[in-house]
Amino acid sequence: MNLLVYAYTQQDARHEAALDWWEGVLNGKELVGLPWMVTFGFLRLRTNPRICAHPAPMEAALRVVEEWHERSLTISLEPGMRHLEIVRGLLLTSEGGSNLVNDAHLAALAIEHRATLFTHDRDFDRFSGLKVAYPLRKR
């Protein structure tokens, strides 16, 4: 979700790179899976004056996420039957404790849906079996 916050926060140094990446994803030819946790996390972070120096009004932020979800190649990722089992395995093998619970949930969604998780957060490297990509990392 941080990538999306960067993409919509013009004051952030990563804004242009993140926006270019996100627009490329949205305008691409592959499915884009958006977990509800990411959508609502974006709303929470992007509208919070303690986190964003220039927070978005809620109505504007809602319009942004509605536009994402209206695209024909965007799907909402939902947990499957093995979700808790996968989360359990990720949490017990990552040794990250309580700070990784939300990350393990997102990682499990990606694993279940055979998707790549795009992030700027290196904590996802802890999860075995997860395909992860860092689009803003310099090569």
Side-chain angles (χ1 to χ4, degrees):
M1 113 186 51
N2 288 344
L3 288 171
L4 301 178
V5 173
Y6 304 154
Y8 290 88
T9 306
Q10 292 180 352
Q11 298 76 19
D12 193 288
R14 298 156 289 207
H15 166 69
E16 284 188 39
L19 185 59
D20 287 347
W21 165 78
W22 184 233
E23 286 179 345
V25 168
L26 288 177
N27 295 316
K29 295 183 174 151
E30 293 188 37
L31 284 177
V32 178
L34 279 173
W36 287 111
M37 175 187 268
V38 170
T39 298
F40 296 134
F42 172 85
L43 291 172
R44 180 180 59 83
L45 295 173
R46 191 62 193 94
T47 61
N48 188 329
R50 285 183 258 159
I51 294 171
C52 290
H54 302 281
M58 184 59 75
E59 185 175 340
L62 283 165
R63 272 196 311 272
V64 166
V65 299
E66 287 165 351
E67 288 172 10
W68 300 342
H69 285 274
E70 288 170 356
R71 293 185 174 255
S72 62
L73 291 177
T74 300
I75 60 170
S76 300
L77 294 184
E78 301 289 343
M81 296 297 291
R82 294 186 49 237
H83 190 73
L84 185 57
E85 175 188 341
I86 296 168
V87 170
R88 182 184 200 287
L90 293 173
L91 287 171
L92 293 178
T93 59
S94 67
E95 300 179 10
S98 62
N99 289 337
L100 291 182
V101 171
N102 287 341
D103 290 352
H105 166 62
L106 293 174
L109 284 171
I111 290 168
E112 285 180 286
H113 292 275
R114 296 185 185 102
T116 300
L117 189 144
F118 290 89
T119 186
H120 195 66
D121 183 347
R122 300 297 303 203
D123 282 339
F124 287 98
D125 287 340
R126 298 178 184 211
F127 299 127
S128 177
L130 174 65
K131 290 185 285 184
V132 62
Y134 300 93
L136 301 188
R137 189 185 323 163
K138 304 260 190 254
R139 294 179 185 196

